[in-house]
Amino acid sequence: MNTTRRTFLQTSALLAASLPFARPVGAQTPAPAAGGGRPRGLFFDPSDLPRIRANLEQPRFAEIRRQVYDLDHTAARRFLRDELRLNDHVTDFARARSLLEHAALAHALRGDAESLETARLALGRIVEYPRWDYFLEGGRQVIGLQRAPEGTIAVCCALDWIGDKLPADLVAQAERDLGTKGAPACYTTLYGMKYPDRVRGWSFHPEQSIPMTIDFRRWPIILNATNLKIIPTAALGIVAVWLMDRHPEARKWLEMSRQSAQAFSIMYGSDGSYDEGVGYWGYTTMHLAMLAEVLHRRLGIDDRKLIDYSGSVRFALQMASPTAGDLVVDPNEKAAYNAVPKGSLEPKHDLVNFGDGGTAIDVSVAAWVARVAQDRLAQHIARETGVLKHYHAAFWYQPELPATPPTAALHDVRLSNDWVISRTGWAAQDTVVAFRSGGPANHEHADRNSVLFKAHGERLFHDPFKAAYVPEHPKWVLRLTEGHTAVLIGGKGHQYHDGSEGTNSSWASARVTAYQTGPGWMTVTSDATEAYQLVNENVVRVERTLVFVKPDVLLLLDRVVLRNPEAVQTRYQVFNDDRRGNATVNGTTFRIERPRATLHASTLGSGPVTARTGRLPTPDTDGIFPFAEVESAAAAEHTLLTTCTAAPSGSDHGTLAVRREGDRWSVTGRHRGKTINVTLTVPTTSLPTVTVA
């Protein structure tokens, strides 16, 4: 630990504890920066309240309205007074912080006494916590990865919105805590990520009961490229703005926050794509925008173009894949903290869930992008895509801005991270094919060259939801190649880590080697050889080519070359979260059935192939995950061409003939009124070429 940092850690608490704040706080606090006329609030001014109230009345904001207005104040106060544990941050601190934010905002909007009382009580209990997070550096100094940053933002917002309605001594204590429990924890986290060689070791606080064991030694390096960096980054910047010119460390905090945001910006692709997946994209990008908004409003610092925000909300749009049907709820999910993600699946909010993609896309930040960039497509996304989960969307949304829906020009995309999505549209009945090439990332799965296929309102080739975060849980298998629509060699997938460090990146990479689109079709080839060679020295080549003939025909060409003979499997996962998915086989063909659609598939190989069905090895209480699997008998070289047709339930499937002549494979026939004529030329030592007639 260097002298500068040691001095900071030793003096920050003393400075804040004795700090004579120069101005009172509250909703009417003037901006600390020069430049008359600058907005006074962190996120909104009193003049914005009518618009925010009107936004919350719109059906699109129903979830946010429920969070803000439908608090059970009796239950909330009982929890805060009698049940809250001051050594529990995972659940209790998180709930208290949430109650503070929502009750304070409700009072700012409605002026009701009940919300004010709940907010006052929540703030009073939060300041009773001796620390605001459950991670330590060097066994002593608190670091803020989630709870301290979230608490810091909540306290700043509450003081901004209702500070003039709170007791002066409570306000003073809250501001002291911002300077001793909030900002220092966030600063220490970012310092450790910036200088990982100076970190003495991160760990859980011994009083916090966490049902997992994690090797923290590389966490300052690992988390530097994850969503858990941007949350303390945003919090540190927001508290620096709040205490600017009233705390001697505020400018240091601001500098660290902005440096951290700038360093993190390269985690986004040049087109705005985000490797951790769309589930973490919403949370992360919203906090980056929150920081930019506060800096611009209060200090006139314009970091609103740090990433391609317009491109980034288009990334979210590309990951949308709505299906049909009823809400899917897992009755075995528990409310308490555990090692498996939670949440129901609303089919109309379905998505391309590569990695830990979650069960819905939160596009709250799209409202900010629409307003700041005057982006009409972002406005459409804010109105129509995914869900709005965070109340900031109500601050930012301006209903008068015009919206423009996406055009066919966006139906086919190869993202900068080598994810490929091809579709016929964004309605539940439209078809979506998603192909996962590219490199590793935090919250990834062992899913290189895996495929999702959605048609006629149903997931037909599936990527299971809610993989476990810890390897001891049975649903860890959902993270592995075996749990994906992908290639196995000898029943095993490509390289993945053992989970000892969390959900960090593996070493596995694939790369798109060919990509082409044409009228009504898309084809892509990806080489995943390196990912498999990391765990199997017998591997020479693993390559998959997709041909999507819109709207209902998908061809998969898999080529595997080995030094010594070994069997190869291609596995196809079935969506069964609602216990309504089924797979059957007949010779070299298989059929997947869902309530609204069916898929027929047939495989021709360069050698003998057989088809079978199976299920992943999870207890029934953790879900039944069926799959179809085609196996190519042991050989040194394997080529398998699988032809798939999709149709609405009750409709007939057409007949596709597959012929092989040397290195030419042809697929001809008709399906649902469309003539199919595809030729794949598969040279031994070069890439396949595809012709769609």
Side-chain angles (χ1 to χ4, degrees), residues 578-590:
D578 57 0
R579 305 297 173 97
R580 302 180 73 185
N582 186 46
T584 57
V585 301
N586 182 12
T588 61
T589 69
F590 64 91

Side-chain angles (χ1 to χ4, degrees), residues 18-64:
S18 61
L19 192 62
F21 289 108
R23 290 187 296 273
V25 299
Q28 306 304 314
T29 302
R38 196 168 297 288
R40 293 177 294 179
L42 291 174
F43 294 105
F44 62 83
D45 290 340
S47 61
D48 295 315
L49 290 173
R51 175 178 54 81
I52 297 171
R53 294 187 191 105
N55 285 343
L56 289 176
E57 294 305 313
Q58 296 190 37
R60 178 67 165 157
F61 291 83
E63 172 61 20
I64 299 173

Side-chain angles (χ1 to χ4, degrees), residues 246-262:
R246 299 189 295 136
H247 193 294
E249 301 288 340
R251 295 193 181 276
K252 175 187 283 189
W253 299 337
L254 179 64
E255 180 182 12
M256 176 65 83
S257 171
R258 293 190 67 210
Q259 286 181 353
S260 179
Q262 290 162 4

